[in-house]
Amino acid sequence: MLKNDILSILKANKDKHISGQELCEMLNVSRTAVWKYINELKSDGYIIESKHKSGYLLMEEPDIIDYMEISPYLKTKFIGRNYLHFESISSTNDYAKEIAPSAADGTAIVAEEQTSGRGRMGRYWVSNKGQGIWMSIILKPNLSPNEAVKLTQVAAVAVIETIKEIADIRSGIKWPNDIVINSKKVCGILTEMNGEIDRVNFIVIGIGINVNVQNFPEDLCGKATSLSIETGKILDRKPLTASILNNFEKYYRVFLIDGFSSIRNLCKEYSLTLNKDVKVIINNNECIGRAVDIDDDGNLIVVFKNGEKKTIASGDVSV
Ligand code: BT5
């Protein structure tokens, strides 16, 4: 895409002006085309100085996580290579499910803001404009439906590794889908599947990470945090977004090729739930037991006070 090419040249030449003529020659296009794409970039939020005789200089880039901005950091083969970016959307998971039947495996849908971000079981997900990464990944693996739940754990490991790599902080997994720092939730994962009894049609992995959120609604105070609150810095969402996709592809491939065992080991290592007393809701009753293991299917194994051992496949577990 020409607009992309012009942007790449401007990014690579931040110390000097590039003339319209030079751009025309490098890209083999007309002056009018260059002028048109420079104007489009300006309306996308790029501040570009245009100086008579010397040319164009990129002064400032917008804080957006579209493909042009994240692709320099993206190392994947297929995850996020088809990348749809929205200024505002109701929910990236809802949109992903809508387009999934005809979308490519690995398609990522990313929004600056969600107006109806969702958690599990109809719960809400606060997704303020430009302050987080609100993303869904469409997958079309050759798996049986009962294996889909393991992908929540694959995503959790990818997020933990990303937080370590980019923000240099340790986070942990509150089974099955919360990523937590200092006992507060920084990220939630929502895995949804469409399939038949023995076959997955598609899976959507929704990942919401609070990056530069500074204030949460009252009901989340003390329960939610952001990478910015934890590090005391404003983080660049661009390498962070790409790193999630990079790490997700890395661990997804490990899972598809070698099976779940090494992901399971990492989940156990990062788990904040194991070897703790947990409250589990079973048939509307609250039961207290001890989380003793994560099994080969990604389920939590809980031993209750009466010695009974139960396999918890999903639902709410609080430490
Ligand atoms: C989750 O559900 O944690 C899954 C969240 C998934 C969000 C992503 S964003 C991209 C994609 N598109 C969507 O529409 N969703 C996915 P659950 O375990 O049910 O937790 C929901 C609960 O977390 C809420 O009831 C609140 O208590 C709390 N919560 C809501 N927003 C939060 C936030 N931004 N940070 C931390 N906690 C939050």
Side-chain angles (χ1 to χ4, degrees), residues 89-94 109 114 116-128 133-136 176-179 184-192 204-210 213 216-217 219-220 223-225 316:
I89 201 168
S90 56
S91 150
T92 56
N93 260 44
D94 288 348
I109 294 106
Q114 293 185 119
S116 306
R118 292 190 294 108
R120 295 173 304 155
M121 295 170 275
R123 294 194 282 238
Y124 67 95
W125 184 259
V126 175
S127 324
N128 294 346
I133 297 169
W134 326 122
M135 134 191 317
S136 299
N177 71 316
D178 290 354
I179 307 300
K184 293 179 193 151
K185 183 161 170 173
V186 70
C187 164
I189 299 164
L190 174 65
T191 304
E192 297 184 287
V204 171
I205 311 277
I207 301 173
I209 304 188
N210 304 320
V213 184
F216 290 95
D219 59 319
L220 293 183
K223 295 184 193 157
T225 191
D316 265 337

Side-chain angles (χ1 to χ4, degrees), residues 21-228:
Q21 189 56 37
E22 281 173 290
L23 285 170
C24 292
E25 281 163 16
M26 281 186 218
L27 301 168
N28 204 15
V29 291
S30 69
R31 282 294 271 264
T32 327
V34 167
W35 184 78
K36 177 182 152 218
Y37 289 118
I38 291 279
N39 280 341
E40 275 188 25
L41 286 168
K42 284 182 181 171
S43 57
D44 290 343
Y46 293 89
I47 311 237
I48 300 169
E49 185 184 73
S50 320
K51 253 194 183 161
H52 182 60
K53 291 215 167 116
S54 35
Y56 301 109
L57 183 70
L58 181 59
M59 313 282 287
E60 238 180 272
E61 299 168 47
D63 176 22
I64 50 169
I65 44 176
D66 65 5
Y67 191 73
M68 281 203 285
E69 288 299 324
I70 69 114
S71 54
Y73 308 99
L74 196 62
K75 299 183 197 132
T76 60
K77 284 214 162 63
F78 73 106
I79 297 288
R81 287 296 168 185
N82 186 31
Y83 186 101
L84 307 174
H85 172 259
F86 294 85
E87 258 313 290
S88 181
I89 201 168
S90 56
S91 150
T92 56
N93 260 44
D94 288 348
Y95 186 76
K97 287 195 287 181
E98 231 173 275
I99 64 159
S102 57
D105 190 15
T107 295
I109 294 106
V110 179
E112 299 295 332
E113 163 190 70
Q114 293 185 119
T115 51
S116 306
R118 292 190 294 108
R120 295 173 304 155
M121 295 170 275
R123 294 194 282 238
Y124 67 95
W125 184 259
V126 175
S127 324
N128 294 346
K129 195 166 195 125
Q131 296 180 355
I133 297 169
W134 326 122
M135 134 191 317
S136 299
I137 303 170
I138 298 171
L139 300 171
K140 298 186 166 177
N142 192 4
L143 290 177
S144 64
N146 65 333
E147 296 209 90
V149 293
K150 297 178 194 167
L151 291 175
T152 302
Q153 309 302 313
V154 173
V157 168
V159 170
I160 300 247
E161 295 286 338
T162 296
I163 292 177
K164 203 176 356 174
E165 188 181 302
I166 305 273
D168 198 21
I169 28 182
R170 234 183 115 80
S171 53
I173 308 170
K174 186 174 156 279
W175 188 91
N177 71 316
D178 290 354
I179 307 300
V180 170
I181 304 173
N182 291 328
S183 310
K184 293 179 193 151
K185 183 161 170 173
V186 70
C187 164
I189 299 164
L190 174 65
T191 304
E192 297 184 287
M193 191 197 67
N194 175 298
E196 285 138 48
I197 288 174
D198 55 350
R199 194 169 70 99
V200 166
N201 294 330
F202 61 80
I203 293 167
V204 171
I205 311 277
I207 301 173
I209 304 188
N210 304 320
V211 181
N212 292 323
V213 184
Q214 303 301 333
N215 298 297
F216 290 95
E218 213 172 309
D219 59 319
L220 293 183
C221 286
K223 295 184 193 157
T225 191
S226 68
L227 296 178
S228 177

